Amino acid sequence: MLDLRRLRLLRELDERGTIAAVADALQFTPSAVSQQLAILEREAGVALLERAGRGVRLTDPALMLVEHADALLERAALAEADLAAAAGTVTGRARIAGFQSVVLRLALPAMEALARDAPRLRCELVEAEPEQALPALALGDLDLVLGDEWQHGPRRLAAGLERHDLLEDPVHLALPARHPAARRHRDAVPLAAVADAIWVTGHAGMGWDDMTVRTCREHGGFDPDIRHRTNDANASLALVARGLAVALLPKFAVPARQRGLALRPIAGPPAARSIFAVTRATDAARPSTRAVLAAIRAAADALPAA
């Protein structure tokens, strides 16, 4: 009989590439991972690993075995979820990941409600961008990810992941309160009015940066003069409030009141992002997953209309 735990190690090695990465992810020592894979080789009766430079790679029989491992591990996860559903008790561990603004607006209120309504559930929070969190969810390192998607950049989810849409988050123009465009326009601001401004946005290649450049080009007819880059919304808002930049920000990321800041809609076609939760399909019947997802939805429903 092939041991499911050792099959998972083989699958993880295929996904992560090195024994050290597998050991770090699963909190084993590299020697323990190597030892378990050697036992799996003996159980299988064929060579599963071969040397490749300073590391190892999977042999053809090992790659075939990984395909079976995916199916076996999925069935085992479904069985565990069904057992948990039959017990009907919300227990175990729920590992939640999200970026800064959804952690503050959704994850924390949900965790507060769960601490009251499901005290036997251990919630763990990780701040992470979707680019890092979604692969970790697919590998089983997380249980629920809060992600976002810009209009021009739909996210493709790995097989076995389920998306749960939560809300639409409109993009606004953040201006220093004394900026001429903020004083001139009490409602929507044409982006052409800030064509000569200094801009702050996210790091190159991130969705926020791409959205800023695209929106300025499409709605304002100019390329923004981006001088400041940060993935921290608070840092970007501080730059704006001090008169050092302007920014396009989703309303979700802006506090209700911010001294020195004027928030205005953009004139023309609306820009927005979608915010959603992602879970594994095999966990759909698990009471802990259902409880966390319900608490996240309740937190989203409790927010004031955009």
Side-chain angles (χ1 to χ4, degrees):
M1 290 288 291
L2 298 174
D3 186 282
L4 281 178
R5 292 170 297 178
R6 296 183 188 114
L7 283 174
R8 184 188 177 195
L9 289 176
L10 188 69
R11 198 269 306 269
E12 295 283 340
L13 181 57
D14 181 50
E15 292 280 353
R16 300 182 189 274
T18 67
I19 287 176
V22 174
D24 182 63
L26 300 182
Q27 298 183 353
F28 291 170
T29 64
S31 61
V33 173
S34 297
Q35 182 182 30
Q36 292 300 310
L37 289 172
I39 294 173
L40 182 62
E41 275 193 326
R42 292 198 295 272
E43 291 175 344
V46 295
L48 299 177
L49 304 177
E50 58 188 13
R51 301 299 303 178
R54 296 183 178 181
V56 296
R57 64 184 177 192
L58 275 63
T59 63
D60 288 344
L63 293 172
M64 178 273 296
L65 190 55
V66 166
E67 294 182 10
H68 288 291
D70 286 335
L72 291 168
L73 291 166
E74 181 179 357
R75 292 302 303 178
L78 285 169
E80 290 174 355
D82 286 344
L83 281 172
T89 304
V90 181
T91 60
R93 180 171 65 160
R95 298 160 296 178
I96 304 166
F99 52 94
Q100 185 184 75
S101 58
V102 292
V103 163
L104 295 173
R105 300 286 192 92
L106 296 181
L108 294 185
M111 290 170 62
E112 185 177 21
L114 288 165
R116 179 187 67 244
D117 300 334
R120 295 180 61 189
L121 180 64
R122 173 189 169 114
C123 288
E124 299 177 5
L125 179 66
V126 178
E127 184 181 344
E129 296 294 326
E131 288 81 2
Q132 293 79 44
L134 289 171
L137 175 67
L139 288 172
D141 296 340
L142 297 168
D143 299 302
L144 183 143
V145 168
L146 290 165
D148 63 348
E149 175 183 274
W150 299 98
Q151 290 171 317
H152 60 270
R155 291 194 187 276
R156 296 181 60 186
L157 298 181
L161 298 184
E162 288 187 344
R163 171 171 166 161
H164 313 272
D165 289 314
L166 298 173
L167 54 90
E168 290 294 306
D169 189 16
V171 171
H172 282 55
L173 178 64
L175 298 162
R178 297 183 179 181
H179 193 284
R183 294 181 171 183
R184 191 179 310 119
H185 302 277
R186 293 298 177 181
D187 194 8
V189 176
L191 278 183
V194 289
D196 296 330
I198 295 169
W199 289 77
V200 55
T201 186
H203 293 297
M206 301 296 288
W208 177 19
D209 171 65
D210 196 18
M211 178 276 296
T212 298
V213 174
R214 284 174 177 264
T215 304
C216 288
R217 287 175 178 172
E218 293 174 6
H219 299 329
F222 66 93
D223 284 325
D225 178 11
I226 300 172
R227 300 191 193 179
H228 314 297
R229 294 188 180 275
T230 173
N231 284 339
D232 188 329
N234 290 327
S236 67
L237 289 170
L239 283 163
V240 175
R242 285 166 173 76
L244 299 174
V246 302
L248 287 175
L249 283 166
K251 194 173 181 182
F252 210 54
V254 183
R257 294 182 180 179
Q258 177 86 15
R259 292 187 62 184
L261 186 74
L263 198 65
R264 299 285 189 271
I266 305 167
R273 66 173 175 175
S274 300
I275 294 177
F276 53 87
V278 185
T279 58
R280 285 186 298 276
T282 53
D283 290 342
R286 192 181 293 273
S288 59
T289 300
R290 295 165 67 92
V292 174
L293 187 56
I296 293 289
R297 285 195 182 280
D301 291 343
L303 292 171

